[in-house]
Amino acid sequence: MPTKIEKDSVTGHMTTGHEWDGLKELNQPLPKWWIYILFATIAFSAVYFVLYPSIPYFTGYYHGTLGYSQRDTVDKDVAAVVKQRSGYMDRIRTLSFADIEKDPQLNAVALTAGRITFANNCQPCHGAGGGGSPGYPALAAGNWLWGGKLADIQQTITFGIRSGLDDARQSLMPKFGAEGGLKPAEIEQVADYVMTLYGQTKGDTAAGQKIFADNCASCHGDHGEGKREFGAPRLAGKAHLYGDTREIVVAQITNPRMGVMPNWNTRFDTGMIKSLALYVHSLGGGE
Ligand code: HEC
Ligand code: HEC
C-alpha cells in the first residue's frame, strides 16, 4: 500500500512510500560508483561484441571486426611445435648416432620420442622398460641375441627378425625332433648336457656333449656361449629366451619356436627408428 514519503526516525533515511504490514521501505539508491561500473561494463561488452567473435548464427557466428580466432591461435602454436619437432627429427634422421649423443638436447628429444613409441608399440611384447618375458627377449639385460650396438639394434628394429623381409635377420634352428634329425633318446641326452651349461644337471653327459658338438655348436658355440650371426642364444647363462626347465629345452630341440619380430620400417621413419634404438640402447644393456 502506498503511504506517504517520510523520514525514518531510526536510520534518518527517507522512505519510498512502500509499506507491507507495517514494514516501510527505505529509499537507499545504489551508490554512484556501482552505477558507473555497471554502465562501463555494458559499454565494454558492446565494444567487445563488435570487435570480437560474439553472436552465434544458425550456421557459423559473427567473427568480429578484429578477426580474432582462438582456433587460429592454437593452429599456429601447433604448427610451430610440429615445425620445431620435424626439425629435430630431420636432424636425428641425418646425423650419426655419435653426433646425436654429442648434442644433449637432441639426444633428450630422441630418448623421449623413443620411450613413448616403445611404450605404445614394443612394450606389449618386450615388457615395460624392455624387461622381457618368455619368448620375448629382455632388451635391458645385455644378453643380446643379435647384437647390442646402436647400429645392430637399428637394423633389428628396421627389418625385424624372420619378418619375411629379405633384409630381416634370419636363421632357423633345425627341428631335430619333428624332422627326425635326432632320436628322442638323443634329444634327452643333449638336453641333459645343455642343462649342465647353467648348472641344472650333473653327472655323465659325455653322450650329450658329443651330440651338442656335432649338431648345435655351429650355432650356439662350442661352450654354449651363443653366436650372434645366427641369433643363437647363449645357453651357458642364467638368462633364457624361453626358459631353463627340461620340458622347455626338450620342446625347443624337438620343434623350435623361432620367434618372429615384426619389421618397423613400414610404420616409422628412420628418425623414429633411430630414436627407438637410442632408447633401447639406454635401457642398461647397450654396447
Ligand atoms: C609381436 C611381438 C613383438 C613386438 C611388438 C616387438 N618385438 Fe622386438 N622382438 C620380438 C621377438 C619374438 C624377438 C626375438 C626373436 C628371436 O627369437 O630371435 C624380438 C627381438 C628384438 C630385438 C633383438 C634383441 C636381441 O637380443 O638382439 C630388438 C632390439 C627388439 N626386438 C626391439 C623391439 C622394438 C624397439 C620394438 C617396438 C618398435 C619391438 N621390438 C616390438 C617380438 C616383438
Ligand atoms: C642353425 C642354428 C642353430 C642350430 C644348429 C641349433 N640352434 Fe638352438 N637356437 C637357434 C636359434 C636362432 C634360437 C633362438 C630362436 C628361437 O627359437 O626363437 C635357438 C634357441 C635354442 C634354445 C632356447 C634357448 C633359451 O634361452 O630359451 C635352446 C635350448 C637351443 N636352441 C638348443 C639347441 C640345441 C640343443 C641344438 C642342437 C641339438 C641347437 N639348439 C641347434 C639356432 C640354432
Side-chain angles (χ1 to χ4, degrees):
M1 272 247 94
T3 56
K4 78 177 183 339
I5 295 175
E6 57 187 11
K7 194 173 193 160
D8 176 55
S9 58
V10 181
T11 60
H13 288 294
M14 299 305 288
T15 64
T16 59
H18 299 156
E19 184 189 335
W20 295 272
D21 296 337
L23 296 173
K24 291 175 184 167
E25 184 185 22
L26 298 179
N27 185 4
Q28 277 187 301
L30 291 164
K32 288 266 168 9
W33 62 263
W34 196 96
I35 302 284
Y36 290 146
I37 289 175
L38 175 68
F39 288 135
T41 55
I42 291 169
F44 176 84
S45 70
V47 174
Y48 192 97
F49 254 63
V50 174
L51 295 181
Y52 287 94
S54 48
I55 307 156
Y57 307 148
F58 280 111
T59 57
Y61 59 95
Y62 170 68
H63 285 255
T65 53
L66 292 182
Y68 171 81
S69 154
Q70 273 187 344
R71 176 169 286 268
D72 284 355
T73 314
V74 170
D75 285 351
K76 267 187 218 130
D77 289 352
V78 170
V81 171
V82 168
K83 187 152 172 276
Q84 191 194 30
R85 240 213 243 145
S86 77
Y88 281 132
M89 275 299 157
D90 282 347
R91 289 178 58 211
I92 292 170
R93 181 163 46 239
T94 48
L95 291 180
S96 71
F97 282 119
D99 286 340
I100 297 169
E101 283 178 323
K102 259 184 242 151
D103 179 339
Q105 202 188 358
L106 192 62
N107 198 38
V109 171
L111 288 177
T112 305
R115 178 169 50 78
I116 295 167
T117 310
F118 188 91
N120 290 332
N121 296 277
C122 322
Q123 200 155 302
C125 285
H126 288 287
S133 59
Y136 302 102
L139 303 176
N143 195 28
W144 298 100
L145 298 167
W146 297 94
K149 296 203 176 65
L150 282 162
D152 299 331
I153 300 172
Q154 179 183 1
Q155 155 104 15
T156 305
I157 301 172
T158 306
F159 302 111
I161 301 166
R162 304 178 192 101
S163 62
L165 292 192
D166 287 346
D167 289 323
R169 300 203 182 271
Q170 307 281 3
S171 78
L172 290 180
M173 172 164 159
K175 302 176 179 182
F176 289 99
E179 284 168 358
L182 293 175
K183 298 190 199 70
E186 291 172 319
I187 291 177
E188 295 290 334
Q189 286 170 328
V190 74
D192 262 351
Y193 173 70
V194 166
M195 291 174 75
T196 63
L197 294 173
Y198 46 85
Q200 290 237 351
T201 44
K202 304 215 163 53
D204 179 17
T205 52
Q209 186 165 8
K210 169 106 182 32
I211 299 169
F212 189 88
D214 292 345
N215 296 279
C216 323
S218 55
C219 285
H220 288 285
D222 290 341
H223 309 284
E225 68 273 17
K227 282 195 188 171
R228 288 182 179 178
E229 61 265 48
F230 304 113
R234 189 161 84 103
L235 303 176
K238 294 271 170 252
H240 300 275
L241 181 58
Y242 294 108
D244 61 1
T245 65
R246 164 174 281 274
E247 214 187 339
I248 290 174
V249 174
V250 168
Q252 174 72 13
I253 301 169
T254 307
N255 197 3
R257 272 178 280 182
M258 311 318 308
V260 171
M261 150 90 175
N263 56 297
W264 295 91
N265 56 355
T266 48
R267 291 278 292 278
F268 302 125
D269 76 345
T270 310
M272 185 52 80
I273 288 179
K274 285 169 83 177
S275 302
L276 280 163
L278 281 159
Y279 172 71
V280 168
H281 189 261
S282 77
L283 290 173
E287 293 173 349

Coordinates of all heavy atoms in Angstrom, one line a residue, residues 19-74:
E19 N 4.9 0.2 1.7 CA 4.8 -0.4 3.1 C 4.1 -1.7 3.0 O 3.1 -1.9 2.2 CB 4.0 0.6 3.9 CG 3.9 0.1 5.4 CD 3.0 0.9 6.2 OE1 2.8 2.1 5.9 OE2 2.5 0.4 7.2
W20 N 4.6 -2.7 3.7 CA 4.0 -4.0 3.8 C 3.8 -4.4 5.2 O 4.8 -4.5 6.0 CB 4.8 -5.1 3.1 CG 5.0 -4.9 1.6 CD1 4.1 -5.4 0.6 CD2 6.0 -4.2 1.0 NE1 4.6 -5.0 -0.6 CE2 5.8 -4.3 -0.4 CE3 7.1 -3.5 1.4 CZ2 6.6 -3.7 -1.3 CZ3 8.0 -2.9 0.5 CH2 7.7 -3.0 -0.9
D21 N 2.6 -4.6 5.6 CA 2.3 -5.0 7.0 C 3.1 -4.2 8.0 O 3.7 -4.7 8.9 CB 2.7 -6.5 7.2 CG 1.8 -7.4 6.4 OD1 0.7 -6.9 6.0 OD2 2.2 -8.5 6.1
G22 N 3.2 -2.9 7.8 CA 3.8 -2.0 8.7 C 5.3 -1.8 8.5 O 6.0 -1.1 9.2
L23 N 5.9 -2.7 7.6 CA 7.3 -2.5 7.3 C 7.5 -1.5 6.1 O 6.9 -1.7 5.1 CB 7.9 -3.8 6.8 CG 8.0 -4.9 7.9 CD1 8.4 -6.2 7.3 CD2 8.8 -4.5 9.1
K24 N 8.3 -0.4 6.4 CA 8.4 0.6 5.3 C 9.7 0.4 4.6 O 10.8 0.1 5.3 CB 8.3 2.0 6.0 CG 6.9 2.3 6.5 CD 6.8 3.6 7.2 CE 5.4 3.8 7.8 NZ 5.4 4.9 8.7
E25 N 9.7 0.6 3.3 CA 10.9 0.5 2.5 C 11.7 1.8 2.6 O 11.1 2.9 2.3 CB 10.6 0.1 1.1 CG 11.9 -0.1 0.3 CD 11.5 -0.3 -1.2 OE1 10.4 0.1 -1.7 OE2 12.4 -0.9 -1.9
L26 N 13.0 1.7 3.0 CA 13.9 2.9 3.0 C 14.3 3.2 1.6 O 14.6 2.3 0.8 CB 15.1 2.7 3.9 CG 14.8 2.4 5.3 CD1 16.1 2.2 6.1 CD2 14.0 3.6 5.9
N27 N 14.5 4.5 1.2 CA 15.0 4.9 -0.1 C 16.5 5.0 0.0 O 17.0 6.0 0.4 CB 14.3 6.2 -0.5 CG 14.7 6.6 -1.9 OD1 15.4 5.8 -2.6 ND2 14.3 7.8 -2.3
Q28 N 17.1 3.9 -0.4 CA 18.6 3.9 -0.5 C 19.1 3.6 -1.9 O 19.3 2.4 -2.2 CB 19.2 2.9 0.5 CG 19.2 3.4 1.9 CD 19.9 2.4 2.8 OE1 19.5 1.2 2.9 NE2 21.0 2.8 3.4
P29 N 19.3 4.6 -2.7 CA 19.7 4.3 -4.1 C 21.1 3.7 -4.1 O 21.8 3.8 -3.2 CB 19.7 5.7 -4.7 CG 19.7 6.7 -3.6 CD 19.2 6.0 -2.4
L30 N 21.3 2.9 -5.3 CA 22.6 2.3 -5.4 C 23.7 3.4 -5.4 O 23.5 4.5 -6.0 CB 22.7 1.6 -6.8 CG 21.8 0.3 -6.8 CD1 21.6 -0.1 -8.3 CD2 22.4 -0.8 -6.0
P31 N 24.9 3.0 -4.9 CA 26.0 4.0 -4.9 C 26.4 4.4 -6.3 O 26.3 3.6 -7.2 CB 27.1 3.3 -4.2 CG 26.6 2.0 -3.7 CD 25.3 1.8 -4.3
K32 N 26.8 5.7 -6.5 CA 27.2 6.2 -7.8 C 28.3 5.3 -8.4 O 28.2 5.0 -9.6 CB 27.7 7.6 -7.7 CG 26.6 8.6 -7.4 CD 26.1 9.2 -8.7 CE 24.8 10.0 -8.7 NZ 24.3 10.3 -7.4
W33 N 29.3 4.9 -7.7 CA 30.4 4.2 -8.3 C 29.9 2.9 -8.8 O 30.3 2.4 -9.9 CB 31.5 3.9 -7.2 CG 31.1 3.1 -6.0 CD1 30.7 3.6 -4.8 CD2 31.0 1.7 -5.9 NE1 30.4 2.6 -4.0 CE2 30.6 1.4 -4.6 CE3 31.3 0.6 -6.8 CZ2 30.4 0.1 -4.2 CZ3 31.1 -0.7 -6.4 CH2 30.7 -0.9 -5.0
W34 N 28.9 2.3 -8.2 CA 28.4 1.0 -8.6 C 27.7 1.2 -10.0 O 27.9 0.4 -10.9 CB 27.4 0.5 -7.6 CG 27.1 -1.0 -7.7 CD1 27.7 -2.0 -7.1 CD2 26.1 -1.6 -8.6 NE1 27.1 -3.2 -7.5 CE2 26.1 -3.0 -8.4 CE3 25.2 -1.0 -9.5 CZ2 25.3 -3.8 -9.1 CZ3 24.4 -1.9 -10.2 CH2 24.4 -3.3 -10.0
I35 N 26.9 2.2 -10.1 CA 26.2 2.5 -11.3 C 27.1 2.8 -12.4 O 27.0 2.2 -13.5 CB 25.3 3.8 -11.1 CG1 24.3 3.6 -10.0 CG2 24.6 4.2 -12.4 CD1 23.1 2.8 -10.3
Y36 N 28.2 3.5 -12.2 CA 29.2 3.8 -13.2 C 29.9 2.6 -13.7 O 30.1 2.3 -14.9 CB 30.3 4.8 -12.7 CG 29.7 6.2 -12.5 CD1 30.2 7.0 -11.4 CD2 28.7 6.7 -13.3 CE1 29.7 8.3 -11.2 CE2 28.2 8.0 -13.1 CZ 28.7 8.7 -12.1 OH 28.2 10.0 -11.8
I37 N 30.2 1.6 -12.8 CA 30.8 0.4 -13.2 C 29.9 -0.4 -14.1 O 30.3 -1.0 -15.1 CB 31.3 -0.4 -12.0 CG1 32.5 0.3 -11.4 CG2 31.7 -1.8 -12.4 CD1 33.0 -0.4 -10.1
L38 N 28.6 -0.4 -13.6 CA 27.6 -1.1 -14.4 C 27.6 -0.6 -15.9 O 27.7 -1.4 -16.8 CB 26.2 -1.0 -13.8 CG 25.1 -1.6 -14.6 CD1 25.2 -3.2 -14.7 CD2 23.7 -1.2 -14.1
F39 N 27.5 0.7 -16.0 CA 27.4 1.3 -17.4 C 28.7 1.0 -18.1 O 28.7 0.8 -19.3 CB 27.1 2.8 -17.3 CG 25.7 3.1 -16.9 CD1 25.3 4.0 -16.0 CD2 24.6 2.3 -17.5 CE1 24.0 4.3 -15.6 CE2 23.3 2.5 -17.1 CZ 23.0 3.5 -16.2
A40 N 29.8 1.1 -17.4 CA 31.1 0.9 -18.1 C 31.2 -0.6 -18.6 O 31.6 -0.8 -19.7 CB 32.3 1.1 -17.1
T41 N 30.7 -1.6 -17.8 CA 30.8 -2.9 -18.3 C 29.8 -3.1 -19.5 O 30.2 -3.8 -20.4 CB 30.4 -3.9 -17.2 OG1 29.1 -3.6 -16.7 CG2 31.4 -4.0 -16.1
I42 N 28.7 -2.4 -19.5 CA 27.8 -2.5 -20.6 C 28.4 -2.0 -21.9 O 28.4 -2.6 -22.9 CB 26.4 -1.8 -20.3 CG1 25.7 -2.6 -19.2 CG2 25.6 -1.7 -21.6 CD1 24.5 -1.9 -18.7
A43 N 29.1 -0.8 -21.7 CA 29.7 -0.2 -22.8 C 30.9 -1.1 -23.3 O 31.0 -1.3 -24.5 CB 30.3 1.2 -22.4
F44 N 31.6 -1.7 -22.4 CA 32.7 -2.5 -22.7 C 32.2 -3.7 -23.6 O 32.8 -4.1 -24.6 CB 33.4 -3.0 -21.5 CG 34.5 -4.0 -21.8 CD1 35.8 -3.6 -22.1 CD2 34.3 -5.4 -21.7 CE1 36.8 -4.5 -22.4 CE2 35.3 -6.3 -22.0 CZ 36.6 -5.9 -22.3
S45 N 31.1 -4.3 -23.1 CA 30.6 -5.5 -23.8 C 30.1 -5.1 -25.2 O 30.3 -5.9 -26.1 CB 29.6 -6.2 -22.9 OG 28.4 -5.4 -22.9
A46 N 29.6 -3.9 -25.3 CA 29.1 -3.5 -26.6 C 30.3 -3.4 -27.6 O 30.2 -3.9 -28.7 CB 28.4 -2.2 -26.5
V47 N 31.4 -2.8 -27.1 CA 32.6 -2.7 -28.0 C 33.1 -4.1 -28.3 O 33.5 -4.4 -29.4 CB 33.6 -1.8 -27.3 CG1 34.9 -1.8 -28.1 CG2 33.1 -0.4 -27.1
Y48 N 33.2 -4.9 -27.2 CA 33.7 -6.3 -27.4 C 32.9 -7.1 -28.4 O 33.5 -7.8 -29.2 CB 33.7 -7.0 -26.0 CG 34.4 -8.3 -25.9 CD1 35.7 -8.3 -25.4 CD2 33.9 -9.5 -26.4 CE1 36.5 -9.5 -25.4 CE2 34.6 -10.6 -26.4 CZ 35.9 -10.6 -25.9 OH 36.6 -11.8 -25.8
F49 N 31.6 -6.9 -28.3 CA 30.7 -7.6 -29.3 C 31.0 -7.3 -30.7 O 31.0 -8.1 -31.6 CB 29.2 -7.2 -29.0 CG 28.4 -8.2 -28.3 CD1 28.8 -8.7 -27.0 CD2 27.4 -8.8 -29.0 CE1 28.1 -9.7 -26.4 CE2 26.6 -9.8 -28.3 CZ 27.0 -10.2 -27.1
V50 N 31.4 -6.0 -30.9 CA 31.7 -5.6 -32.3 C 33.1 -6.1 -32.7 O 33.3 -6.6 -33.8 CB 31.6 -4.0 -32.4 CG1 32.1 -3.6 -33.8 CG2 30.2 -3.6 -32.1
L51 N 34.1 -6.0 -31.8 CA 35.5 -6.3 -32.2 C 35.7 -7.8 -32.3 O 36.5 -8.3 -33.1 CB 36.4 -5.7 -31.1 CG 36.5 -4.2 -31.1 CD1 37.5 -3.7 -30.0 CD2 36.8 -3.6 -32.4
Y52 N 35.1 -8.6 -31.3 CA 35.5 -10.0 -31.2 C 34.3 -10.9 -31.7 O 33.2 -10.5 -31.7 CB 35.9 -10.3 -29.8 CG 37.2 -9.7 -29.4 CD1 37.3 -8.5 -28.8 CD2 38.4 -10.5 -29.7 CE1 38.6 -8.0 -28.5 CE2 39.6 -9.9 -29.4 CZ 39.7 -8.7 -28.8 OH 40.9 -8.2 -28.5
P53 N 34.6 -12.2 -31.9 CA 33.6 -13.1 -32.2 C 32.5 -13.1 -31.1 O 32.9 -13.2 -30.0 CB 34.3 -14.5 -32.3 CG 35.7 -14.2 -32.5 CD 35.9 -12.8 -31.9
S54 N 31.2 -12.9 -31.4 CA 30.3 -12.9 -30.4 C 29.0 -13.6 -30.7 O 28.6 -14.6 -30.0 CB 30.0 -11.4 -30.0 OG 29.8 -10.7 -31.2
I55 N 28.3 -13.1 -31.7 CA 26.9 -13.6 -31.8 C 26.8 -14.8 -32.7 O 27.3 -14.9 -33.8 CB 26.0 -12.5 -32.5 CG1 26.2 -11.2 -31.8 CG2 24.6 -12.9 -32.6 CD1 25.9 -10.0 -32.6
P56 N 26.3 -15.9 -32.1 CA 26.1 -17.1 -32.9 C 25.0 -17.0 -33.9 O 24.0 -16.5 -33.6 CB 25.8 -18.2 -31.8 CG 25.3 -17.5 -30.6 CD 25.7 -16.0 -30.7
Y57 N 25.2 -17.5 -35.1 CA 24.1 -17.7 -36.0 C 23.7 -19.1 -36.1 O 24.3 -20.0 -35.3 CB 24.6 -17.3 -37.5 CG 25.2 -15.9 -37.6 CD1 26.2 -15.7 -38.5 CD2 24.7 -14.9 -36.7 CE1 26.7 -14.4 -38.6 CE2 25.3 -13.6 -36.9 CZ 26.3 -13.4 -37.8 OH 26.9 -12.2 -37.9
F58 N 22.7 -19.5 -36.9 CA 22.3 -20.9 -37.0 C 23.5 -21.7 -37.5 O 23.8 -22.8 -37.0 CB 21.1 -21.0 -37.9 CG 19.9 -20.7 -37.2 CD1 19.1 -19.6 -37.5 CD2 19.4 -21.5 -36.1 CE1 18.0 -19.2 -36.8 CE2 18.3 -21.2 -35.5 CZ 17.6 -20.0 -35.8
T59 N 24.2 -21.2 -38.6 CA 25.4 -21.8 -39.0 C 26.5 -20.8 -38.9 O 26.3 -19.7 -39.5 CB 25.3 -22.3 -40.5 OG1 25.0 -21.2 -41.3 CG2 24.2 -23.4 -40.6
G60 N 27.5 -21.0 -38.2 CA 28.6 -20.1 -38.0 C 28.3 -19.0 -37.0 O 27.4 -19.2 -36.1
Y61 N 29.0 -17.9 -37.0 CA 28.9 -16.9 -36.0 C 29.5 -15.6 -36.5 O 30.2 -15.6 -37.5 CB 29.7 -17.4 -34.7 CG 31.1 -17.6 -35.0 CD1 32.0 -16.6 -34.7 CD2 31.6 -18.8 -35.5 CE1 33.4 -16.8 -34.9 CE2 33.0 -19.0 -35.7 CZ 33.8 -18.0 -35.4 OH 35.2 -18.1 -35.7
Y62 N 29.2 -14.5 -35.8 CA 29.7 -13.2 -36.2 C 31.2 -13.2 -35.8 O 31.5 -13.4 -34.6 CB 28.9 -12.1 -35.5 CG 29.6 -10.8 -35.5 CD1 29.6 -10.1 -36.8 CD2 30.1 -10.2 -34.4 CE1 30.2 -8.8 -36.8 CE2 30.7 -8.9 -34.5 CZ 30.8 -8.3 -35.7 OH 31.4 -7.0 -35.8
H63 N 32.1 -12.9 -36.7 CA 33.6 -13.1 -36.5 C 34.2 -11.9 -35.8 O 35.3 -12.0 -35.3 CB 34.3 -13.4 -37.8 CG 34.1 -14.8 -38.3 ND1 35.1 -15.7 -38.2 CD2 33.0 -15.4 -38.8 CE1 34.6 -16.9 -38.6 NE2 33.3 -16.7 -39.0
G64 N 33.5 -10.7 -35.7 CA 34.2 -9.6 -35.1 C 35.1 -8.9 -36.0 O 35.7 -9.5 -36.9
T65 N 35.2 -7.5 -35.8 CA 36.0 -6.8 -36.8 C 37.5 -7.0 -36.7 O 38.2 -6.8 -37.7 CB 35.7 -5.3 -36.6 OG1 36.0 -4.9 -35.3 CG2 34.3 -4.9 -37.0
L66 N 38.0 -7.6 -35.6 CA 39.4 -7.8 -35.5 C 39.8 -9.2 -36.1 O 41.0 -9.4 -36.3 CB 39.9 -7.8 -34.0 CG 39.8 -6.5 -33.3 CD1 40.3 -6.7 -31.8 CD2 40.6 -5.4 -34.0
G67 N 38.8 -10.0 -36.4 CA 39.1 -11.3 -37.0 C 39.9 -12.2 -36.1 O 40.6 -13.1 -36.5
Y68 N 39.7 -12.1 -34.8 CA 40.4 -12.9 -33.8 C 39.8 -14.3 -33.8 O 38.6 -14.4 -33.8 CB 40.4 -12.3 -32.4 CG 41.0 -13.2 -31.3 CD1 42.3 -13.3 -31.1 CD2 40.1 -13.9 -30.5 CE1 42.8 -14.2 -30.2 CE2 40.6 -14.8 -29.6 CZ 41.9 -14.9 -29.4 OH 42.4 -15.7 -28.4
S69 N 40.6 -15.4 -33.7 CA 40.1 -16.7 -33.6 C 41.0 -17.6 -32.7 O 42.2 -17.7 -33.0 CB 39.9 -17.3 -35.0 OG 40.0 -18.7 -34.9
Q70 N 40.5 -18.1 -31.6 CA 41.3 -19.0 -30.8 C 41.8 -20.2 -31.5 O 42.9 -20.6 -31.3 CB 40.4 -19.5 -29.6 CG 40.5 -18.5 -28.4 CD 39.8 -19.0 -27.2 OE1 39.1 -20.0 -27.3 NE2 40.0 -18.4 -26.1
R71 N 41.0 -20.7 -32.4 CA 41.4 -21.8 -33.2 C 42.6 -21.5 -34.1 O 43.6 -22.3 -34.1 CB 40.2 -22.3 -34.1 CG 40.6 -23.5 -35.0 CD 39.4 -24.1 -35.7 NE 38.7 -24.9 -34.7 CZ 38.9 -26.2 -34.5 NH1 39.8 -26.8 -35.2 NH2 38.2 -26.8 -33.7
D72 N 42.6 -20.3 -34.7 CA 43.8 -19.9 -35.5 C 45.0 -19.9 -34.6 O 46.1 -20.3 -35.0 CB 43.6 -18.5 -36.1 CG 42.6 -18.6 -37.3 OD1 42.3 -19.8 -37.7 OD2 42.3 -17.6 -37.8
T73 N 44.8 -19.3 -33.4 CA 46.0 -19.2 -32.5 C 46.5 -20.6 -32.1 O 47.7 -20.8 -32.2 CB 45.5 -18.5 -31.2 OG1 44.8 -17.4 -31.5 CG2 46.7 -18.1 -30.3
V74 N 45.6 -21.5 -31.8 CA 46.0 -22.9 -31.5 C 46.7 -23.5 -32.7 O 47.8 -24.1 -32.6 CB 44.8 -23.7 -31.0 CG1 45.2 -25.2 -30.9 CG2 44.3 -23.2 -29.7

